[in-house]
Each structure stands twice: as C-alpha cells, then as structure tokens.
Amino acid sequence: MSKKFVYFFGGGKAAGSARMKDLLGGKGSNLAEMTNLSIPVPAGFTITTEVCRYYYANKKRYPPGLREEIEKNLTKVEKAMGTKFGDAKNPLLVSVRSGARVSMPGMMDTVLNIGLNEKTLQGLISATQNERFAYDCYRRFIQMYGDVVLGLKPREEKEIDPFEGAIQELKKERGVKLDTDLTVEDLKELVRRFKTLVKERTGQDFPEEPRKQLFGSIGAVFESWNNKRAIEYRRLNNIPEEWGTAASVQAMVFGNIGEDSATGVAFTRDPATGEKKFYGEYLVNAQGEDVVAGIRTPQPINIAGKTDPSQISLEEKMSQVYRELEKIYKKLERHYRDMQDIEFTIQKGRLWMLQTRKGKRTAQAAVRMAVEMTKEGLISKQEAVLRVDPDQIDQLLHPTLDPKAKFEVLVKGLPASPGAAVGQIVFSAEEAVEEAKAGNKVILVRLETSAEDIHGMAVAQGILTARGGMTSHAAVVARGMGKCCVAGCSGIEIDYEKGEIRVKDKIIKRGEYLTLDGSTGRVIPGKVPTVAPSLSGDFALLMKWADQLRKLGVRTNADTPKDARVAREFGAEGIGLCRTEHMFFNPDRIDAMREMIVAKNEEGRRKALAKLLPMQREDFVGIFREMDGLPVIIRTLDPPLHEFLPQKEEEIKELAEKIGITFEELQAKVTSLHEANPMLGHRGCRLGVAYPEITEMQARAIFEAACQVAKEKIKVIPEVMIPLVGHMNELKMQRKIVDRVAFEVFEEQKVKIKYLVGTMIELPRAALTADRIAEVADFFSYGTNDLTQTVYGLSRDDAGKFLNLYVEKKIIPEDPFQKLDQEGVGLLVEVGIQKGRKTRPDLEVGICGEHGGEPSSVEFCHWVGMDYVSCSPYRVPIARLAAAHAALKEKMKIEVVGEA
Ligand code: PEP
Ligand code: MG
C-alpha cells in the first residue's frame, strides 16, 4: 500500500493526473488533470480508493495518518480559495463526492455545502449579500446530511423523506406551491424544523462543528460504495467490489448568487449526431442539480443552439465567459482526443470547471466522431475503429424507434432480434400472409414459432412470442431475416380463441396496433414512429478501415437469394451456412417433401425427391448468382423429419387425400416419427445415412446449379456441408455420395468445378476426434448452437425458462447460447481446431452458430485461429468490426509485450 492517501488539486497544481483513475477515481483524476492543464478548477483533494479498501478491510477504520493528511490539504484549499473552513466571516464550504474508476452515475452519495453552521451562515450572508440564498444552502445541507450521513433517508420506496414532508407541511401552511415561493423567514423556520427533526429522530443535535461534518460526510461516501443501488449497479456492469471508491473534497462554488452567476453542462460535440458543434445548456442564477432536474427550462449555451428567438444564450448573456469556456472545451477535447461531457459553474462572473469526462454518445455519433476526428488528425484509423463498439452499431443497421417519441411500455421480453416494428396484431402465419397481401403491416404474435410459421414471419414487420429464449426458433429465424423479434415475453397471455393478448388487466385485440423494440425487448401499445438506418458515408468509411485491419473473414448464414444479396451489401465474403431445410417449408414444396417422408420405400422416396430436385436446383442457382466469385457452403438436410409433417387431424386428413393414402396410414406414420428427444434423434447426417437418396438429390441439385451458373460465366465456389457428424465414418459415407454425384454431373454437363466437402463440428465427439474427421473433411464449421446444447446438456428450446435465473444468481456470467462459453465449449472448439489442423494443416475452419455475430465470441474465433465467422446478414458489419477489434487488440498485446 502506498503511503500517500490524499492528492491535492486546484490553484494551478495537482498531485495526481488522468493516469491515476484506479487510485483517484474518474472524477478525482480528471479534476487533477484539468488543474495540470491550467484550467480553473475549485481547489480540493481526493482521498484514494486505497483508503476505501482499508476502511472495509479494517472494521471501518481509517488508516493512521489520514486525518493529518486531510488537515494539511484542507489548509492548501483554504489558501487557494482565499477562504477558511469554519470561519465566521469568510467561510470555505466544501462538497464530498464519490468517484469510482468507472462512472457509476447517481449510485453513490454526495454531500454539498459542508461547513455551514449558525456562525458560518452569517459569513456566507455577508460574503454573498444574499440572505435567502444562504438560508437555502443551509436547509439543503441539513437535509442532505440528515439523509446521507445520519441515515434519515427512507428505506422503503413508499415512505416519504421526513425533510420533504416538513417542506410540504410548511408550504401548505403558507399556501404556496413552489420552493422558490418560500421567503427568507420561511426558510429560517424550515431550518429550525429540520434541526428539531434531527434531534427527534437521532436523539442528538445536528452537528455544528465543521470538521465533524466533514469526516461524517467522508465516511458516508465510503459507506455508499456498499449501498443496495451501488451493489446492483456493480453486478450489472461487472465492476469488481474490490475497486472501492475515492472521495473528492472540493471547495464549493455557487452559480445561484445573482444574475452574474450560472451553471451548465455541455458536450464538445453533439452526442446525438456527432456533429462538430459545441452543444449545451445553462441556467442563470441556479445550482447544478437545477439543470438536470428540469425545474426550470435551461437555455442554449450558444447562439447556434437557439431554437427560438426568445432564448438568451450564454454566448449573448456573458460573452466573455463564453469565450473562455470555448477555449477550455477545445483544449479539453484536444487533450483527451475525444468528445467530452463537461460541467461548469459561473460564480459572480468567474468561470469554474467542475467536471470533464468522456461523453456518452449514440452509435451514429460514435461513427461520425471517430471518422471526423481521424480526418482532423486527432486520432489514427486504428483508434477510430476501436472507438466504435461493435454491439452498438446494431442500432445503425435496423429501423429504430424515433428517439423523440414518447410512449409507455406495456411489457418486456427478450431482445431477440433488433430493430423496431409497428403493425396490427395477427395470431397465425396464414392471417399474416392474408393481411400482408391486402397491404397491411402486421405483428405476428405466437406462443412460440415453428418451421410452419416461416412464411408468416417473412411477411410480418415483427414477431412477438411468449415462450422461448435467444436461440429459440423465432429468435434465430428473425435474426436471419433481419426482422425485429421480441421473444420469451412471459408477461403476456395469448388467447388464440378470443384473438387477444392480455398483460395484467390490459387487453389488446386482433387488428390493434402494437410496436416492438427488438433491441431492448420493449412491447408498446399503439404506433410509435421509427427512423430508417443509413449505411453509407462515415459508416462505410469506418467499415473499410475495419476491413483493412481484420484477419478473420466474415461470411453469412443465408438461405435465399434475397438474404444473400442483403448480406453481400453488408460486406459478407461468402455464405457460411445455407440451411436447405428452410426451402422445403414453402407452400409449393411442402407436399412433395411430405410425400417423400411418408413414402413406403426407396422407390417412393425417389419419386418425390425427383419433384423436389428442380425446385432445389433453382434455389441454388439464385444464391450462386448472387454470390458470384464467393464461396457458398450448402448444408444437407438437418432437422428431424416430423417437423415437416402436419400435426392437426384436419391437416393430416387433407394430406392423406392429396397423396392417396388412408388417414390411418398417415396418422401411424406421424406417430412413428415422434421422438422423445428429437434434438438428439433422427436428424442431421443420420437422415442421409438412413436415406442416402436424400443426400444424393441435394448433391445433384447443388452441382447441376453450379454447372448451370458456371456456363453463365459466373464464378461458383460450392462447399457441401454434412451436419451433426459424430463419427468420421458418417462423413466418409456421405462424402462418397457427394463425390460420386459431383463426378456424374460434371460428366453429364461437360463442366468441371472445384468444390469442397466438409462437416459441421457440433457434437463433442466430433471435436474430440477432429483429427480422424479431418482425414475426410476439407473444412470444419463449428455449429456452436448445437455444440453448446450438447456440451452443456442444455436444451436449446427449453433452457430459456431457467437460464436467466442462472445469470441472475451469478451461477454463470452469461447465457451461453448468446455469448460463447469460452471456458467450456470454447475449449472443445480449440481442441478440435488443433487436432483437425494436425491432420490437415490447410483445413478451412469457421463458425456458423449464432455466436458468429456476437462480438466477444468473434474475438475468441480470432484468437483460436479460425479462418472466418458466419452470421446472419444483419450482423455482418458487427462481425467485421469485432474482427478488426480482435486484430488490433492482438497487435497491441504484441506491442506491449515487445516493450516490456
Ligand atoms: C448450430 O448448431 O450451431 C448450427 C449452426 O446449426 P442449426 O442452428 O441449424 O442447428
Ligand atoms: Mg446445428
């Protein structure tokens, strides 16, 4: 532990700097830094986070010597400010504020106006010539100190603050509405009542001794590190408890002592759009909280910010101070090389800076600022790329709710697929299609979705389900379609019969409007306006820089030419997964598919497959054309066959008639295909093993399509992928079929095309025996959805019901279906890659599970040496940026290691 516990700042020199965030907290270190930059900061000192840690480790005692250090620094503050703590004539008042390494806005406590008592109050009155102001400070101080230090703040939300109660009572007696209507005499009475209240509640007099007040406040700030709110905030934001908070003691300055005083907040650039313009608000004759609290309407800081002529900007009101502020903000932005969020106070025409920190910004502003600051020479391209958070740009790729819109949230579900959607409620895929045909916009509401709902999902604006998690059918399919989806919204009751949804006592009926926000999971009744995304300009340039830096390739999961086109526009460099089963659900094919499934023998199956072949070939032709010059991985049939069959009696009857068998026969078939555990059942390559003719048809469709487009001078690079392989012999057998068909088709068509045959690695056995599997695979693609399911033994379809609880109880840090479990599932991924490449050094390796579009998982894929990641079209830019971040972080690590 270092010996120094207290760091001075102000008066032109500081003991700390911005590099000392760990020790001085964000606020303290930036106050020191501003002082070092010769920016006027009210003098003060910061008590380090080490003291906080000591305090908790030593039964809430302070380290020896702390008191003396504080006294020494207090004297320095007095000197710098020309006032004296506890002095009756010219008193110094101070604030004590918390400040952790990272900002925890509003979570911990603050005490202002420390040092006020009956004596110093008189000093404040004569120094400010403003009795009302002085008494207002005094009553505010007693209330804050009483709440924070003496613990009179209500513990229950329902209880009212006793001080607030006293204010209300007095206002009622006086017949006034606002605090500002209270006279000096009223405030004096309030001070008296507050003190009586303290005596009654604590049994002691309110402390008059300024030093007692100061140490009480410091203790309370350290205590607030462990209040309920702070603990919860730390948990949500992964902030370690051991960090502790610093406490900054700083001279008070007042923005509320006349027309030549003011207070304000500003951003060095527009935090909403990123535009390079000084942007902020201020209030004359006010204290800091008044700007934020919205009691009075703040005025724009400069003429450029005026929206109506009646406003008076700071630039006009106090032009000299404004010029000074301009110089300071420019200096701060240049120094920190980033947009700053600043707070200032003007006391009798003198400007004081109270805070500077990195400003929060929208995704749009982050991109624009990063690009413009690079062009201004403020930061490098690498820094620009690192400045934009991959997760954040999701906001830019979909329509979003208009930030200016006001609305009430009905209920929240999982933010399963981002974007905003507005439409009329429908409850079935058929209704959705019908309404869409009539030109109406719909929201499809289902308990959960299945493959049969796909055509309805395709035409809906958004999807809302009551069940299912982040990798539920609705979530995966919606993300693939780039469509807004709120899943697992257990707060709604769906009544298909009545055609309504209920949330507590609120009922919304079929045909009524609903708005979904898939980025946050919010469900809102009625229509909320939305704004469209833009992918050109600064965004395109930033993505170009990211592409120059990344090593990982980025492909897409796409099943249709339309998805392929969208993904290519988003920068996809190929298709990493084309799920062929989705093609069979189209109403014009499902019959042939069902006929194939219920066929009694191979001959019957072949007959039905012959009907599917031309349709499937057309699908591939469309996709190959879109992906001219880029690789396309097509996966053979994967889901259990029962998913294709009708379940309702009516539908079974209808189908039996269509294909010329009896109802009983078909019913028996449907029953026979039922599986207790279909995810581990007859699916994936196991279908191709049982019915090689299915693989054969699919391979033929792929190669015939490839030959057809090759003749159109399109460069086609097909890669055939076999799913759910656990044993190398499964792949060997399937590969034999694919190779034979390829040979036959090339002979027939007199064309030769280079192709690859590979497998998904989505079972633990496949990863563990990857060296053997690589003997027959040209490539691996990690199916981390199934791999997570099988490694963890967690059902993809059911885990949503309890995984949240696991995360809440900190049993696991994150839902492993959303963020790859690097420790467990990731270990198998690594093992598989190493083993596979041992056998085949040029083995192409990628990932096509949902994790391929999740930034931390993409970084993991970079570290383990994958060639590419593949994700849904709308996540392609996110993956590109995350891949660039990974490459840059690796470079920085190498540089840091190199320096050492
Ligand atoms: C996977 O399992 O990760 C995968 C991509 O396949 P699917 O989601 O189609 O099972
Ligand atoms: Mg899978």
Side-chain angles (χ1 to χ4, degrees):
M1 195 161 171
S2 74
K3 289 277 153 31
K4 195 171 165 64
F5 299 124
V6 182
Y7 287 71
F8 181 75
F9 58 81
K13 46 182 178 295
S17 76
R19 288 170 180 270
M20 295 164 76
K21 276 203 172 56
D22 295 1
L23 200 61
L24 305 180
K27 190 177 290 257
S29 62
N30 280 333
L31 285 168
E33 190 77 2
M34 282 202 282
T35 308
N36 291 333
L37 291 169
S38 307
I39 287 170
V41 169
F45 52 87
T46 302
I47 305 166
T48 66
T49 52
E50 281 186 352
V51 174
C52 182
R53 287 200 291 274
Y54 183 99
Y55 178 79
Y56 280 109
N58 292 278
K59 300 195 179 125
K60 303 198 173 178
R61 275 200 299 269
Y62 295 113
L66 178 70
R67 218 184 162 94
E68 290 72 21
E69 262 195 76
I70 290 178
E71 287 295 346
K72 244 197 270 164
N73 279 277
L74 196 57
T75 310
K76 280 195 197 170
V77 176
E78 290 173 338
K79 237 192 218 153
M81 301 304 289
T83 47
K84 210 164 167 44
F85 196 54
D87 191 75
K89 289 211 183 79
N90 191 16
L92 164 71
L93 302 186
V94 297
S95 62
V96 181
R97 293 173 204 262
S98 56
R101 250 184 239 199
V102 293
S103 159
M104 294 171 53
M107 295 301 128
M108 290 182 283
D109 288 327
T110 288
V111 188
L112 305 176
N113 299 329
I114 299 160
L116 269 180
N117 56 24
E118 293 295 342
K119 266 199 306 184
T120 56
L121 180 70
Q122 299 313 317
L124 186 65
I125 295 171
S126 61
T128 60
Q129 292 297 305
N130 190 335
E131 193 183 17
R132 192 186 184 285
F133 157 73
Y135 268 99
D136 199 35
C137 283
Y138 196 26
R139 65 104 182 173
R140 282 176 198 253
F141 168 58
I142 300 172
Q143 175 169 3
M144 219 177 215
Y145 194 91
D147 276 344
V148 172
V149 187
L150 305 176
L152 299 187
K153 199 166 18 184
R155 305 254 176 263
E156 298 290 322
E157 258 177 44
K158 281 169 264 147
E159 246 179 81
I160 115 155
D161 179 308
F163 297 104
E164 282 302 324
I167 297 173
Q168 299 307 335
E169 210 175 281
L170 187 74
K171 282 203 279 195
K172 215 162 145 198
E173 287 169 24
R174 301 290 188 264
V176 297
K177 280 214 173 89
L178 301 172
D179 286 12
T180 43
D181 295 334
L182 295 171
T183 63
V184 182
E185 292 312 313
D186 294 339
L187 293 175
K188 283 183 188 170
E189 173 61 17
L190 208 51
V191 165
R192 204 189 54 73
R193 290 189 190 182
F194 277 7
K195 285 191 172 176
T196 312
L197 203 151
V198 167
K199 179 86 195 207
E200 277 169 14
R201 297 280 179 118
T202 65
Q204 283 175 14
D205 287 326
F206 186 82
E208 283 281 299
E209 172 48 45
R211 275 173 170 71
K212 192 168 177 200
Q213 297 172 355
L214 175 62
F215 283 97
S217 302
I218 293 170
V221 163
F222 284 140
E223 278 289 313
S224 72
W225 175 250
N226 271 340
N227 73 27
K228 242 164 117 183
R229 264 177 315 168
I231 292 172
E232 180 62 12
Y233 187 87
R234 286 205 294 273
R235 191 184 68 75
L236 289 173
N237 293 280
N238 293 323
I239 299 171
E241 191 187 328
E242 313 80 74
W243 281 3
T245 180
S248 289
V249 178
Q250 189 178 23
M252 293 288 301
V253 284
F254 298 99
N256 53 347
I257 46 175
E259 285 297 301
D260 56 354
S261 300
T263 186
V265 294
F267 293 90
T268 59
R269 298 189 189 208
D270 188 328
T273 64
E275 190 185 345
K276 191 179 180 187
K277 68 169 191 212
F278 189 38
Y279 172 95
E281 294 176 328
Y282 84 109
L283 268 176
V284 170
N285 200 4
Q287 266 193 325
E289 303 89 271
D290 299 343
V291 179
V292 193
I295 300 164
R296 280 160 57 195
T297 312
Q299 301 290 301
I301 208 158
N302 44 24
I303 298 168
K306 281 171 66 161
T307 49
D308 85 64
S310 68
Q311 295 173 320
I312 303 167
S313 67
L314 182 70
E315 189 174 4
E316 293 156 297
K317 175 103 183 157
M318 303 181 199
S319 63
Q320 217 177 333
V321 177
Y322 178 75
R323 297 287 155 236
E324 198 189 338
L325 186 62
E326 250 188 349
K327 270 194 212 141
I328 290 173
Y329 97 74
K330 285 182 183 161
K331 192 183 217 175
L332 283 171
E333 191 179 274
R334 253 198 327 275
H335 179 72
Y336 284 98
R337 297 158 64 246
D338 202 351
M339 186 264 273
Q340 297 293 299
D341 167 354
I342 59 178
E343 282 180 23
F344 62 89
T345 282
I346 301 159
Q347 178 173 307
K348 295 195 165 203
R350 187 164 177 197
L351 175 67
W352 296 99
M353 298 305 294
L354 299 182
Q355 180 164 298
T356 189
R357 62 181 170 196
K358 193 173 122 183
K360 293 236 180 321
R361 58 206 74 186
T362 62
Q364 186 196 349
V367 171
R368 178 167 177 177
M369 287 191 291
V371 169
E372 289 187 354
M373 285 184 188
T374 309
K375 288 180 181 167
E376 290 161 26
L378 210 55
I379 56 173
S380 67
K381 283 182 189 169
Q382 281 97 322
E383 281 174 295
V385 167
L386 283 173
R387 284 273 168 95
V388 181
D389 176 4
D391 264 328
Q392 205 187 13
I393 64 166
D394 208 10
Q395 289 174 21
L396 301 177
L397 309 175
H398 305 269
T400 45
L401 293 183
D402 186 338
K404 290 190 221 97
K406 295 217 164 20
F407 50 80
E408 246 176 63
V409 176
L410 177 69
V411 64
K412 264 181 105 174
L414 295 172
S417 180
V422 185
Q424 291 166 282
I425 298 185
V426 293
F427 290 100
S428 73
E430 288 69 36
E431 263 181 276
V433 172
E434 228 167 80
E435 291 295 325
K437 262 192 204 146
N440 297 325
K441 295 192 152 93
V442 297
I443 300 284
L444 177 60
V445 181
R446 302 282 300 158
L447 279 174
E448 56 198 330
T449 62
S450 71
E452 283 178 61
D453 295 315
I454 288 192
H455 57 295
M457 296 170 78
V459 297
Q461 303 298 307
I463 297 121
L464 171 64
T465 67
R467 296 190 203 136
M470 294 295 283
T471 58
S472 62
H473 180 271
V476 173
V477 173
R479 280 198 290 275
M481 291 175 172
K483 198 152 284 205
C484 160
C485 173
V486 175
C489 188
S490 51
I492 59 168
E493 266 179 76
I494 301 177
D495 192 329
Y496 288 140
E497 301 267 292
K498 285 196 180 154
E500 62 184 36
I501 59 173
R502 289 186 290 271
V503 179
K504 293 187 187 141
D505 51 359
K506 186 146 177 100
I507 296 176
I508 303 179
K509 291 187 178 307
R510 168 184 284 119
E512 286 185 46
Y513 275 95
L514 201 63
T515 299
L516 303 181
D517 180 0
S519 312
T520 59
R522 292 179 295 181
V523 179
I524 304 145
K527 291 192 210 180
V528 180
T530 58
V531 287
S534 153
L535 301 177
S536 54
D538 291 336
F539 180 79
L541 189 57
L542 188 88
M543 292 310 295
K544 196 173 124 192
W545 296 343
D547 289 343
Q548 287 162 354
L549 295 165
R550 70 183 158 91
K551 291 186 188 150
L552 269 177
V554 178
R555 296 192 191 181
T556 189
N557 295 356
D559 315 328
T560 64
K562 185 172 153 253
D563 287 351
R565 192 176 327 123
V566 172
R568 216 176 166 162
E569 277 161 18
F570 278 140
E573 298 157 316
I575 288 182
L577 173 62
C578 170
R579 293 178 166 105
T580 52
E581 57 270 19
H582 287 172
M583 302 165 177
F584 297 127
F585 284 108
N586 277 4
D588 59 334
R589 312 172 177 194
I590 190 74
D591 284 351
M593 185 65 186
R594 288 170 170 171
E595 194 182 321
M596 192 275 293
I597 296 169
V598 301
K600 289 200 188 85
N601 51 31
E602 187 183 327
E603 194 192 337
R605 271 192 300 277
R606 283 192 181 277
K607 218 172 101 202
L609 284 166
K611 289 186 199 165
L612 288 169
L613 173 68
M615 302 190 227
Q616 178 108 96
R617 187 172 56 223
E618 274 319 293
D619 295 328
F620 298 145
V621 166
I623 290 173
F624 285 146
R625 281 194 188 128
E626 290 295 343
M627 299 311 277
D628 185 2
L630 299 176
V632 176
I633 296 187
I634 296 170
R635 182 177 76 182
T636 53
L637 198 63
D638 184 43
L641 294 179
H642 76 88
E643 281 194 15
F644 297 94
L645 290 179
Q647 304 298 329
K648 289 192 204 126
E649 208 176 291
E650 275 304 295
E651 291 170 339
I652 297 176
K653 251 185 213 152
E654 213 176 287
L655 179 66
E657 223 163 85
K658 254 191 212 164
I659 55 181
I661 58 173
T662 65
F663 169 76
E664 287 72 26
E665 264 180 298
L666 186 54
Q667 177 88 323
K669 187 73 191 177
V670 172
T671 312
S672 76
L673 282 172
H674 176 81
E675 291 178 301
N677 202 342
M679 274 296 185
L680 300 178
H682 200 186
R683 57 169 288 216
C685 67
R686 299 159 195 174
L687 296 171
V689 168
Y691 311 117
E693 53 278 8
I694 300 179
T695 311
E696 201 179 302
M697 181 283 281
Q698 292 200 292
R700 179 161 278 277
I702 293 169
F703 293 116
E704 286 184 357
C707 291
Q708 184 181 328
V709 296
K711 287 176 190 166
E712 298 166 9
K713 298 275 169 287
I714 281 170
K715 186 160 170 47
V716 55
I717 311 169
E719 303 186 15
V720 183
M721 178 154 78
I722 310 297
L724 215 79
V725 164
H727 195 287
M728 73 171 295
N729 285 339
E730 291 172 314
L731 180 63
K732 207 174 187 176
M733 179 220 175
Q734 293 294 295
R735 174 166 200 145
K736 221 181 202 166
I737 300 171
V738 175
D739 285 337
R740 174 174 55 76
V741 173
F743 181 80
E744 285 167 13
V745 174
F746 295 159
E747 287 281 296
E748 288 159 22
Q749 304 280 332
K750 310 266 173 293
V751 182
K752 226 175 165 169
I753 292 160
K754 261 178 97 167
Y755 67 94
L756 302 179
V757 182
T759 183
M760 295 198 65
I761 303 287
E762 49 187 346
L763 294 177
R765 193 181 192 286
L768 292 170
T769 60
D771 47 346
R772 299 301 316 275
I773 292 178
E775 288 172 28
V776 278
D778 301 326
F779 66 86
F780 284 175
S781 177
Y782 278 88
T784 43
N785 302 334
D786 273 311
L787 193 60
T788 300
Q789 172 167 258
T790 49
V791 169
Y792 239 125
L794 277 173
S795 158
R796 276 166 77 172
D797 298 324
D798 302 315
K801 287 183 201 146
F802 57 86
L803 270 183
N804 278 350
L805 189 73
Y806 266 55
V807 177
E808 242 168 60
K809 291 193 182 289
K810 286 195 190 171
I811 291 169
I812 53 173
E814 236 106 30
D815 178 344
F817 290 107
Q818 287 177 45
K819 279 194 185 190
L820 188 76
D821 160 39
Q822 298 183 12
E823 194 183 11
V825 179
L827 186 63
L828 267 187
V829 171
E830 255 188 294
V831 166
I833 296 176
Q834 281 162 11
K835 286 191 154 224
R837 291 229 170 105
K838 213 175 214 170
T839 304
R840 191 184 284 247
D842 63 344
L843 186 76
E844 176 188 281
V845 181
I847 181 174
C848 63
E850 286 299 297
H851 306 94
E854 190 284 311
S856 70
S857 314
V858 172
E859 288 197 18
F860 173 81
C861 295
H862 170 95
W863 287 109
V864 296
M866 284 195 191
D867 296 297
Y868 68 86
V869 294
S870 185
C871 55
S872 63
Y874 286 82
R875 293 199 78 85
V876 166
I878 298 168
R880 285 160 68 196
L881 190 56
H885 277 216
L888 281 169
K889 283 181 194 164
E890 183 185 31
K891 205 169 148 221
M892 286 183 325
K893 221 172 193 174
I894 291 169
E895 275 165 14
V896 173
V897 173
E899 269 170 29

